Amino acid sequence: MDTNSIERLSGSHLVLEVGLDVLVEIQGAGKRFKASLVGGEPGRYIIIKPPATRSAAESLLRESLLTLRFLMSRGRICGFQSEVQQVLLKPHRLIFVSYPAYFEILRLRKHDRVHCYQPVTFYVEAHEYRGHILNISTGGCLVTMDPLTGEPPLAEGGEAFLNFRKFDSNETGYVQGRIRNVTQRADQTSMAIEFDELTEDVRASIESYVDAVYDHLAA
């Protein structure tokens, strides 16, 4: 459910912020150093500042090939290849590199997941259960409920049908999924569910909620 995925985009969509920490790798040399972004001109060049201590940056030559990576929000890593245009050692150590024609985003999680506390009723093999959704994404959710007493145990691989209020309205959404993990504790039972294909309205509701939470956290 949480496999990595890579998205390739045109360099014209690259957004860089001054002060950004960047990991620089010199291709073919096996050397890396950390730098910070200090400026640049979109489409033409990027200016990075290597650390003040002696580093591999001092051995860089014009047209040296580099790979630059930095961490984005929501568990994503951005990376692109570049070429050294100029290295300044005085009065300040600065490296001018070419602006990438394209860049790649590695999503460490296939689905963004956020916390919530949403009441849910779900059915497994004709038995009804009630609990709360603790986190959710378009790929699945984590459900918690009171400890099971005198009821059939929940088994991994079992089919589950969930019924909960959609995040953007008072309407009810129905989702079919499969139990991937069950944790039994003295005070509660937790169950990880992987969703099957979602209806468009339920998918839109979850995506809207996830985006709203991330926008709030980034504000």
PDB file of all heavy atoms in Angstrom, residues 16-44:
ATOM      1  N   LEU A  16      12.106  26.627  -5.892  1.00  0.00           N
ATOM      2  CA  LEU A  16      13.225  26.606  -4.955  1.00  0.00           C
ATOM      3  C   LEU A  16      13.137  27.809  -4.031  1.00  0.00           C
ATOM      4  O   LEU A  16      12.840  28.915  -4.471  1.00  0.00           O
ATOM      5  CB  LEU A  16      14.560  26.633  -5.716  1.00  0.00           C
ATOM      6  CG  LEU A  16      14.831  25.446  -6.648  1.00  0.00           C
ATOM      7  CD1 LEU A  16      16.075  25.708  -7.472  1.00  0.00           C
ATOM      8  CD2 LEU A  16      14.979  24.169  -5.847  1.00  0.00           C
ATOM      9  N   GLU A  17      13.400  27.583  -2.757  1.00  0.00           N
ATOM     10  CA  GLU A  17      13.339  28.655  -1.777  1.00  0.00           C
ATOM     11  C   GLU A  17      14.724  28.929  -1.214  1.00  0.00           C
ATOM     12  O   GLU A  17      15.498  28.011  -0.939  1.00  0.00           O
ATOM     13  CB  GLU A  17      12.388  28.279  -0.633  1.00  0.00           C
ATOM     14  CG  GLU A  17      10.946  28.069  -1.071  1.00  0.00           C
ATOM     15  CD  GLU A  17      10.046  27.732   0.092  1.00  0.00           C
ATOM     16  OE1 GLU A  17      10.564  27.637   1.226  1.00  0.00           O
ATOM     17  OE2 GLU A  17       8.842  27.552  -0.128  1.00  0.00           O
ATOM     18  N   VAL A  18      15.055  30.215  -1.049  1.00  0.00           N
ATOM     19  CA  VAL A  18      16.336  30.605  -0.476  1.00  0.00           C
ATOM     20  C   VAL A  18      16.458  30.032   0.939  1.00  0.00           C
ATOM     21  O   VAL A  18      15.509  30.066   1.721  1.00  0.00           O
ATOM     22  CB  VAL A  18      16.473  32.141  -0.437  1.00  0.00           C
ATOM     23  CG1 VAL A  18      17.733  32.549   0.323  1.00  0.00           C
ATOM     24  CG2 VAL A  18      16.507  32.701  -1.856  1.00  0.00           C
ATOM     25  N   GLY A  19      17.630  29.479   1.247  1.00  0.00           N
ATOM     26  CA  GLY A  19      17.844  28.864   2.553  1.00  0.00           C
ATOM     27  C   GLY A  19      17.620  27.374   2.564  1.00  0.00           C
ATOM     28  O   GLY A  19      17.865  26.711   3.578  1.00  0.00           O
ATOM     29  N   LEU A  20      17.175  26.827   1.446  1.00  0.00           N
ATOM     30  CA  LEU A  20      16.901  25.398   1.349  1.00  0.00           C
ATOM     31  C   LEU A  20      18.186  24.589   1.490  1.00  0.00           C
ATOM     32  O   LEU A  20      19.208  24.912   0.881  1.00  0.00           O
ATOM     33  CB  LEU A  20      16.248  25.104   0.004  1.00  0.00           C
ATOM     34  CG  LEU A  20      15.752  23.686  -0.266  1.00  0.00           C
ATOM     35  CD1 LEU A  20      14.549  23.370   0.591  1.00  0.00           C
ATOM     36  CD2 LEU A  20      15.397  23.540  -1.744  1.00  0.00           C
ATOM     37  N   ASP A  21      18.165  23.541   2.296  1.00  0.00           N
ATOM     38  CA  ASP A  21      19.314  22.647   2.436  1.00  0.00           C
ATOM     39  C   ASP A  21      19.336  21.647   1.290  1.00  0.00           C
ATOM     40  O   ASP A  21      18.318  21.014   0.995  1.00  0.00           O
ATOM     41  CB  ASP A  21      19.261  21.903   3.773  1.00  0.00           C
ATOM     42  CG  ASP A  21      19.494  22.819   4.964  1.00  0.00           C
ATOM     43  OD1 ASP A  21      20.254  23.795   4.807  1.00  0.00           O
ATOM     44  OD2 ASP A  21      18.908  22.565   6.030  1.00  0.00           O
ATOM     45  N   VAL A  22      20.478  21.507   0.656  1.00  0.00           N
ATOM     46  CA  VAL A  22      20.614  20.658  -0.524  1.00  0.00           C
ATOM     47  C   VAL A  22      21.778  19.687  -0.325  1.00  0.00           C
ATOM     48  O   VAL A  22      22.850  20.069   0.154  1.00  0.00           O
ATOM     49  CB  VAL A  22      20.874  21.509  -1.790  1.00  0.00           C
ATOM     50  CG1 VAL A  22      21.001  20.610  -3.014  1.00  0.00           C
ATOM     51  CG2 VAL A  22      19.761  22.531  -1.987  1.00  0.00           C
ATOM     52  N   LEU A  23      21.558  18.428  -0.685  1.00  0.00           N
ATOM     53  CA  LEU A  23      22.635  17.442  -0.687  1.00  0.00           C
ATOM     54  C   LEU A  23      23.186  17.369  -2.106  1.00  0.00           C
ATOM     55  O   LEU A  23      22.452  17.088  -3.046  1.00  0.00           O
ATOM     56  CB  LEU A  23      22.122  16.075  -0.251  1.00  0.00           C
ATOM     57  CG  LEU A  23      23.161  14.942  -0.271  1.00  0.00           C
ATOM     58  CD1 LEU A  23      24.281  15.220   0.722  1.00  0.00           C
ATOM     59  CD2 LEU A  23      22.503  13.604   0.039  1.00  0.00           C
ATOM     60  N   VAL A  24      24.487  17.640  -2.261  1.00  0.00           N
ATOM     61  CA  VAL A  24      25.132  17.677  -3.571  1.00  0.00           C
ATOM     62  C   VAL A  24      26.044  16.462  -3.713  1.00  0.00           C
ATOM     63  O   VAL A  24      26.887  16.209  -2.851  1.00  0.00           O
ATOM     64  CB  VAL A  24      25.953  18.971  -3.745  1.00  0.00           C
ATOM     65  CG1 VAL A  24      26.581  19.011  -5.144  1.00  0.00           C
ATOM     66  CG2 VAL A  24      25.077  20.196  -3.518  1.00  0.00           C
ATOM     67  N   GLU A  25      25.885  15.724  -4.794  1.00  0.00           N
ATOM     68  CA  GLU A  25      26.732  14.570  -5.075  1.00  0.00           C
ATOM     69  C   GLU A  25      27.496  14.810  -6.366  1.00  0.00           C
ATOM     70  O   GLU A  25      26.904  15.178  -7.383  1.00  0.00           O
ATOM     71  CB  GLU A  25      25.889  13.303  -5.205  1.00  0.00           C
ATOM     72  CG  GLU A  25      26.705  12.058  -5.521  1.00  0.00           C
ATOM     73  CD  GLU A  25      25.858  10.809  -5.618  1.00  0.00           C
ATOM     74  OE1 GLU A  25      24.642  10.901  -5.345  1.00  0.00           O
ATOM     75  OE2 GLU A  25      26.403   9.748  -5.963  1.00  0.00           O
ATOM     76  N   ILE A  26      28.817  14.632  -6.334  1.00  0.00           N
ATOM     77  CA  ILE A  26      29.642  14.789  -7.525  1.00  0.00           C
ATOM     78  C   ILE A  26      29.620  13.472  -8.278  1.00  0.00           C
ATOM     79  O   ILE A  26      30.115  12.454  -7.791  1.00  0.00           O
ATOM     80  CB  ILE A  26      31.085  15.167  -7.154  1.00  0.00           C
ATOM     81  CG1 ILE A  26      31.100  16.421  -6.280  1.00  0.00           C
ATOM     82  CG2 ILE A  26      31.913  15.404  -8.422  1.00  0.00           C
ATOM     83  CD1 ILE A  26      32.485  16.790  -5.777  1.00  0.00           C
ATOM     84  N   GLN A  27      29.037  13.481  -9.447  1.00  0.00           N
ATOM     85  CA  GLN A  27      28.864  12.242 -10.201  1.00  0.00           C
ATOM     86  C   GLN A  27      30.215  11.643 -10.595  1.00  0.00           C
ATOM     87  O   GLN A  27      31.117  12.349 -11.039  1.00  0.00           O
ATOM     88  CB  GLN A  27      28.023  12.502 -11.449  1.00  0.00           C
ATOM     89  CG  GLN A  27      26.591  12.909 -11.147  1.00  0.00           C
ATOM     90  CD  GLN A  27      25.750  13.053 -12.390  1.00  0.00           C
ATOM     91  OE1 GLN A  27      26.074  12.505 -13.429  1.00  0.00           O
ATOM     92  NE2 GLN A  27      24.666  13.800 -12.292  1.00  0.00           N
ATOM     93  N   GLY A  28      30.352  10.339 -10.395  1.00  0.00           N
ATOM     94  CA  GLY A  28      31.554   9.632 -10.762  1.00  0.00           C
ATOM     95  C   GLY A  28      32.673   9.729  -9.755  1.00  0.00           C
ATOM     96  O   GLY A  28      33.694   9.038  -9.887  1.00  0.00           O
ATOM     97  N   ALA A  29      32.513  10.576  -8.728  1.00  0.00           N
ATOM     98  CA  ALA A  29      33.575  10.762  -7.736  1.00  0.00           C
ATOM     99  C   ALA A  29      33.218  10.148  -6.392  1.00  0.00           C
ATOM    100  O   ALA A  29      34.085   9.968  -5.534  1.00  0.00           O
ATOM    101  CB  ALA A  29      33.877  12.251  -7.550  1.00  0.00           C
ATOM    102  N   GLY A  30      31.941   9.848  -6.195  1.00  0.00           N
ATOM    103  CA  GLY A  30      31.520   9.272  -4.922  1.00  0.00           C
ATOM    104  C   GLY A  30      31.640  10.234  -3.755  1.00  0.00           C
ATOM    105  O   GLY A  30      31.722   9.791  -2.606  1.00  0.00           O
ATOM    106  N   LYS A  31      31.647  11.528  -4.035  1.00  0.00           N
ATOM    107  CA  LYS A  31      31.786  12.537  -2.984  1.00  0.00           C
ATOM    108  C   LYS A  31      30.487  13.316  -2.837  1.00  0.00           C
ATOM    109  O   LYS A  31      29.815  13.610  -3.827  1.00  0.00           O
ATOM    110  CB  LYS A  31      32.936  13.497  -3.300  1.00  0.00           C
ATOM    111  CG  LYS A  31      34.305  12.819  -3.341  1.00  0.00           C
ATOM    112  CD  LYS A  31      35.398  13.828  -3.650  1.00  0.00           C
ATOM    113  CE  LYS A  31      36.768  13.166  -3.678  1.00  0.00           C
ATOM    114  NZ  LYS A  31      37.842  14.134  -3.991  1.00  0.00           N
ATOM    115  N   ARG A  32      30.153  13.647  -1.604  1.00  0.00           N
ATOM    116  CA  ARG A  32      28.938  14.409  -1.313  1.00  0.00           C
ATOM    117  C   ARG A  32      29.245  15.511  -0.323  1.00  0.00           C
ATOM    118  O   ARG A  32      30.160  15.393   0.488  1.00  0.00           O
ATOM    119  CB  ARG A  32      27.847  13.510  -0.727  1.00  0.00           C
ATOM    120  CG  ARG A  32      27.409  12.358  -1.605  1.00  0.00           C
ATOM    121  CD  ARG A  32      26.327  11.558  -0.907  1.00  0.00           C
ATOM    122  NE  ARG A  32      25.849  10.449  -1.704  1.00  0.00           N
ATOM    123  CZ  ARG A  32      26.404   9.238  -1.710  1.00  0.00           C
ATOM    124  NH1 ARG A  32      27.467   9.000  -0.945  1.00  0.00           N
ATOM    125  NH2 ARG A  32      25.911   8.279  -2.469  1.00  0.00           N
ATOM    126  N   PHE A  33      28.455  16.567  -0.381  1.00  0.00           N
ATOM    127  CA  PHE A  33      28.544  17.614   0.626  1.00  0.00           C
ATOM    128  C   PHE A  33      27.200  18.331   0.709  1.00  0.00           C
ATOM    129  O   PHE A  33      26.408  18.312  -0.241  1.00  0.00           O
ATOM    130  CB  PHE A  33      29.672  18.609   0.313  1.00  0.00           C
ATOM    131  CG  PHE A  33      29.519  19.343  -1.002  1.00  0.00           C
ATOM    132  CD1 PHE A  33      28.845  20.551  -1.075  1.00  0.00           C
ATOM    133  CD2 PHE A  33      30.060  18.810  -2.172  1.00  0.00           C
ATOM    134  CE1 PHE A  33      28.714  21.225  -2.272  1.00  0.00           C
ATOM    135  CE2 PHE A  33      29.933  19.472  -3.384  1.00  0.00           C
ATOM    136  CZ  PHE A  33      29.263  20.690  -3.434  1.00  0.00           C
ATOM    137  N   LYS A  34      26.947  18.920   1.838  1.00  0.00           N
ATOM    138  CA  LYS A  34      25.717  19.671   2.031  1.00  0.00           C
ATOM    139  C   LYS A  34      25.941  21.136   1.675  1.00  0.00           C
ATOM    140  O   LYS A  34      27.001  21.694   1.929  1.00  0.00           O
ATOM    141  CB  LYS A  34      25.231  19.549   3.472  1.00  0.00           C
ATOM    142  CG  LYS A  34      24.748  18.158   3.833  1.00  0.00           C
ATOM    143  CD  LYS A  34      24.195  18.121   5.247  1.00  0.00           C
ATOM    144  CE  LYS A  34      23.694  16.728   5.594  1.00  0.00           C
ATOM    145  NZ  LYS A  34      23.155  16.678   6.981  1.00  0.00           N
ATOM    146  N   ALA A  35      24.921  21.731   1.086  1.00  0.00           N
ATOM    147  CA  ALA A  35      24.994  23.128   0.698  1.00  0.00           C
ATOM    148  C   ALA A  35      23.648  23.778   0.978  1.00  0.00           C
ATOM    149  O   ALA A  35      22.666  23.097   1.298  1.00  0.00           O
ATOM    150  CB  ALA A  35      25.364  23.256  -0.779  1.00  0.00           C
ATOM    151  N   SER A  36      23.608  25.087   0.858  1.00  0.00           N
ATOM    152  CA  SER A  36      22.343  25.804   1.022  1.00  0.00           C
ATOM    153  C   SER A  36      22.093  26.652  -0.213  1.00  0.00           C
ATOM    154  O   SER A  36      23.033  27.181  -0.827  1.00  0.00           O
ATOM    155  CB  SER A  36      22.367  26.687   2.274  1.00  0.00           C
ATOM    156  OG  SER A  36      23.402  27.639   2.202  1.00  0.00           O
ATOM    157  N   LEU A  37      20.838  26.768  -0.592  1.00  0.00           N
ATOM    158  CA  LEU A  37      20.461  27.553  -1.757  1.00  0.00           C
ATOM    159  C   LEU A  37      20.441  29.042  -1.386  1.00  0.00           C
ATOM    160  O   LEU A  37      19.797  29.433  -0.409  1.00  0.00           O
ATOM    161  CB  LEU A  37      19.078  27.120  -2.249  1.00  0.00           C
ATOM    162  CG  LEU A  37      18.522  27.889  -3.439  1.00  0.00           C
ATOM    163  CD1 LEU A  37      19.278  27.503  -4.703  1.00  0.00           C
ATOM    164  CD2 LEU A  37      17.043  27.604  -3.611  1.00  0.00           C
ATOM    165  N   VAL A  38      21.150  29.862  -2.163  1.00  0.00           N
ATOM    166  CA  VAL A  38      21.202  31.295  -1.848  1.00  0.00           C
ATOM    167  C   VAL A  38      20.621  32.171  -2.950  1.00  0.00           C
ATOM    168  O   VAL A  38      20.477  33.385  -2.781  1.00  0.00           O
ATOM    169  CB  VAL A  38      22.651  31.741  -1.545  1.00  0.00           C
ATOM    170  CG1 VAL A  38      23.165  31.058  -0.295  1.00  0.00           C
ATOM    171  CG2 VAL A  38      23.575  31.478  -2.724  1.00  0.00           C
ATOM    172  N   GLY A  39      20.288  31.579  -4.094  1.00  0.00           N
ATOM    173  CA  GLY A  39      19.693  32.389  -5.149  1.00  0.00           C
ATOM    174  C   GLY A  39      19.728  31.698  -6.490  1.00  0.00           C
ATOM    175  O   GLY A  39      19.980  30.497  -6.602  1.00  0.00           O
ATOM    176  N   GLY A  40      19.513  32.502  -7.553  1.00  0.00           N
ATOM    177  CA  GLY A  40      19.531  31.957  -8.902  1.00  0.00           C
ATOM    178  C   GLY A  40      18.538  32.666  -9.795  1.00  0.00           C
ATOM    179  O   GLY A  40      17.845  33.609  -9.378  1.00  0.00           O
ATOM    180  N   GLU A  41      18.468  32.226 -11.025  1.00  0.00           N
ATOM    181  CA  GLU A  41      17.516  32.763 -11.997  1.00  0.00           C
ATOM    182  C   GLU A  41      16.822  31.593 -12.679  1.00  0.00           C
ATOM    183  O   GLU A  41      17.494  30.775 -13.324  1.00  0.00           O
ATOM    184  CB  GLU A  41      18.225  33.639 -13.030  1.00  0.00           C
ATOM    185  CG  GLU A  41      17.275  34.263 -14.035  1.00  0.00           C
ATOM    186  CD  GLU A  41      17.984  35.188 -15.009  1.00  0.00           C
ATOM    187  OE1 GLU A  41      19.121  35.602 -14.714  1.00  0.00           O
ATOM    188  OE2 GLU A  41      17.390  35.472 -16.067  1.00  0.00           O
ATOM    189  N   PRO A  42      15.493  31.472 -12.503  1.00  0.00           N
ATOM    190  CA  PRO A  42      14.773  30.336 -13.087  1.00  0.00           C
ATOM    191  C   PRO A  42      15.072  30.158 -14.565  1.00  0.00           C
ATOM    192  O   PRO A  42      15.062  31.114 -15.344  1.00  0.00           O
ATOM    193  CB  PRO A  42      13.300  30.704 -12.844  1.00  0.00           C
ATOM    194  CG  PRO A  42      13.345  31.578 -11.626  1.00  0.00           C
ATOM    195  CD  PRO A  42      14.606  32.384 -11.766  1.00  0.00           C
ATOM    196  N   GLY A  43      15.372  28.945 -14.949  1.00  0.00           N
ATOM    197  CA  GLY A  43      15.652  28.630 -16.338  1.00  0.00           C
ATOM    198  C   GLY A  43      17.091  28.826 -16.748  1.00  0.00           C
ATOM    199  O   GLY A  43      17.505  28.363 -17.823  1.00  0.00           O
ATOM    200  N   ARG A  44      17.900  29.496 -15.888  1.00  0.00           N
ATOM    201  CA  ARG A  44      19.287  29.776 -16.279  1.00  0.00           C
ATOM    202  C   ARG A  44      20.301  29.168 -15.322  1.00  0.00           C
ATOM    203  O   ARG A  44      21.166  28.409 -15.729  1.00  0.00           O
ATOM    204  CB  ARG A  44      19.510  31.296 -16.376  1.00  0.00           C
ATOM    205  CG  ARG A  44      18.677  31.970 -17.470  1.00  0.00           C
ATOM    206  CD  ARG A  44      19.117  33.405 -17.653  1.00  0.00           C
ATOM    207  NE  ARG A  44      20.525  33.461 -18.071  1.00  0.00           N
ATOM    208  CZ  ARG A  44      21.228  34.588 -18.109  1.00  0.00           C
ATOM    209  NH1 ARG A  44      20.672  35.739 -17.737  1.00  0.00           N
ATOM    210  NH2 ARG A  44      22.497  34.572 -18.502  1.00  0.00           N
TER     211      ARG A  44
END
